[in-house]
Amino acid sequence: MRVRQAELFKVALPLKREFETSSHRKRSVTHIVLRLETVEGLLGFGEVACEAAPFYGPETVGTCWEVLRGVLVPTMLELDWDDPVEIAAALARFRGNHFAKAGLDIACWDIFARSRGVSLAAALGGSRSEIESGVSLGIIASLDALADEARRIERLDYKRLKLKIRPGMADEAVRTVRDAARSLPLMVDANGSFADDHDAELARLDRYALLMIEQPFGPASLLAHQKLKSRLATPICLDESIPSVDHVRLALDLDCCSIVNAKVSRLGGLTYARAVHDLCVERGIPVWCGGMHEFGIGRAANIAISALPGFALPGDVSSSDERYDRDIVWPPIAAKNGVIRVPTAPGLGYEVDAELIRSLATETVSFTASSRVLAAT
Ligand code: OSB
Ligand code: MG
């Protein structure tokens, strides 16, 4: 196969609820949508689910746009390929830029699955017909408002709640959610905001029998995680510390975590998320799919990868309407009784609303195999 035309769209959607983490607060989300069309007339859509500023990792929407436009898309247009793994291998000589690569990788997997007439989940080797759905809840200063949100999520029957925390507020926030929604399995995510000397505050969380503590320390603090893991009963999960398959292997070799967040964007796409899944299955480590407030395309990719057998824990994949009034796919992704059905239609399995994407796009760029950059607005 060969991609004949590639288009990039910068699209912003307002969040239904403001979202605050240990590092920042956001009211809207800007992602890059990719539309690829092959010489054979096959279509594929991808999404770059990067943040606007480098809070989570070093990439931004802006760096992804430039790297896709200047390097990744032109390289991809030169390739004749049968399997998306070949694209990932050809782009591996460019270091990092995993969020940018992930968008391209998802679009290539969509094409690949459609070319075979199978669902994206089936193309990846997944067999589940439904996945368990969880919600990530941002930091909410008012404890009454936090309790209301926890009860709302419990009423919707989500399988688990992930609560964002930062130093100084973790204990009170966890106790509030515990008391408000007793049946809701609970975990926390610190996004690397704790320092080594906050060990005592983290150790106190052991009382709550949480599912796990995600990324308490900074990305490079592998040994701090190793030490904490040996001291706490609560499982430690890594996110920012494991940006690649090699980092996951290192973290497991050093015994730094007992659970892995396999996030499609952070790892560079479905190709690498599947490799992390395979590695974790081999090591007997539970793995789950983390989110980046994806629009429908990225959400569909997360659902597909979550259909693999090693994804044993509910992830961050929730209903579209948890975040957005109107999604760019149809039907919107919907969790019912805490589960999302894995689509069986070819490719992503949701109809992408190309018209809506075009109308919302604040920037677009189009390439063809021969002219490289066709037009940019
Ligand atoms: O650390 O998992 C994270 C969102 C943006 C950046 C980082 C993270 C998150 C989430 C949201 O937790 C998960 C989601 O609902 O998609
Ligand atoms: Mg996280």
Side-chain angles (χ1 to χ4, degrees):
M1 280 180 297
R2 211 181 173 94
V3 174
R4 190 185 69 80
Q5 194 193 14
E7 287 176 284
L8 308 183
F9 306 91
K10 215 177 270 186
V11 175
L13 293 179
L15 279 167
K16 277 172 77 169
R17 303 171 187 84
E18 184 176 88
F19 195 93
E20 183 172 345
T21 66
S22 56
S23 59
H24 67 298
R25 186 184 295 181
K26 59 186 180 188
R27 293 191 173 79
S28 73
V29 169
T30 302
H31 285 168
I32 300 167
V33 173
L34 291 93
R35 180 191 183 274
L36 306 183
E37 190 174 337
T38 69
V39 173
E40 300 81 10
L42 289 164
L43 282 185
F45 288 93
E47 177 178 336
V48 174
C50 198
E51 298 206 281
F55 289 117
Y56 172 81
E59 292 178 83
T60 68
V61 176
T63 67
C64 290
W65 187 265
E66 284 310 313
V67 169
L68 280 165
R69 185 157 90 148
V71 179
L72 303 177
V73 172
T75 303
M76 183 266 307
L77 288 172
E78 301 289 318
L79 300 171
D80 231 319
W81 55 281
D82 294 313
D83 190 301
V85 171
E86 295 164 39
I87 308 257
L91 299 181
R93 70 192 159 106
F94 304 116
R95 297 248 162 91
N97 294 287
H98 290 184
F99 278 75
K101 287 175 180 174
L104 202 51
D105 177 86
I106 292 167
C108 292
W109 273 101
D110 187 21
I111 288 173
F112 175 74
R114 290 193 213 209
S115 76
R116 310 243 154 160
V118 301
S119 70
L120 185 53
L124 288 161
S127 51
R128 287 179 206 276
S129 58
E130 53 185 38
I131 65 154
E132 294 197 320
S133 178
V135 173
S136 174
L137 184 57
I139 291 172
I140 299 174
S142 149
L143 295 180
D144 285 343
L146 177 62
D148 284 346
E149 272 296 88
R151 279 189 287 266
R152 181 183 68 77
I153 290 164
E154 185 182 45
R155 272 198 306 275
L156 289 170
D157 280 334
Y158 279 110
K159 297 289 187 191
R160 68 98 164 114
L161 187 156
K162 163 164 129 181
L163 179 65
K164 294 285 183 180
I165 57 166
R166 68 157 73 96
M169 57 69 84
D171 190 79
E172 208 175 32
V174 169
R175 188 161 9 97
T176 299
V177 171
R178 250 298 138 75
D179 290 346
R182 298 206 157 271
S183 73
L184 197 53
L186 181 62
M187 62 173 284
V188 293
D189 183 3
N191 287 108
S193 56
F194 285 76
D196 259 6
D197 53 2
H198 286 126
D199 263 19
E201 187 178 356
L202 291 166
R204 279 201 300 278
L205 295 179
D206 249 356
R207 291 179 289 146
Y208 297 106
L210 299 172
L211 294 172
M212 70 194 87
I213 302 175
E214 181 180 353
Q215 196 70 43
F217 305 122
S221 301
L222 277 182
L223 298 181
H225 289 102
Q226 181 199 56
K227 206 174 86 198
L228 188 70
K229 176 179 180 289
S230 70
R231 286 187 51 213
L232 262 59
T234 310
I236 304 298
C237 172
L238 292 177
D239 179 359
E240 286 92 329
S241 284
I242 44 172
S244 72
V245 185
D246 286 340
H247 285 88
V248 175
R249 191 175 295 111
L250 179 64
L252 295 180
D253 285 348
L254 293 176
D255 199 22
C256 302
C257 64
S258 43
I259 299 176
V260 161
N261 172 343
K263 193 176 275 186
V264 174
S265 310
R266 186 194 72 233
L267 293 166
L270 292 162
T271 303
Y272 294 108
R274 185 174 65 171
V276 165
H277 164 271
D278 295 350
L279 174 64
C280 290
V281 168
E282 190 188 307
R283 303 278 183 106
I285 298 288
V287 58
W288 57 275
C289 181
M292 289 297 297
H293 295 145
E294 283 86 352
F295 304 162
I297 296 169
R299 227 164 259 264
N302 288 343
I303 293 167
I305 196 78
S306 301
L308 299 189
F311 283 80
L313 296 163
D316 286 335
V317 196
S318 57
S319 298
S320 298
D321 77 359
E322 185 61 35
R323 305 282 176 221
Y324 305 107
D325 282 318
R326 184 170 175 195
D327 203 346
I328 57 170
V329 302
W330 188 264
I333 283 111
K336 222 177 168 180
N337 303 322
V339 300
I340 298 174
R341 293 213 48 88
V342 178
T344 51
L348 292 166
Y350 296 86
E351 205 64 53
V352 175
D353 191 340
E355 218 164 287
L356 180 64
I357 290 166
R358 280 183 207 284
S359 74
L360 290 174
T362 53
E363 227 176 312
T364 68
V365 60
S366 173
F367 309 70
T368 57
S370 50
S371 71
R372 297 287 185 86
V373 178
L374 234 198
T377 59

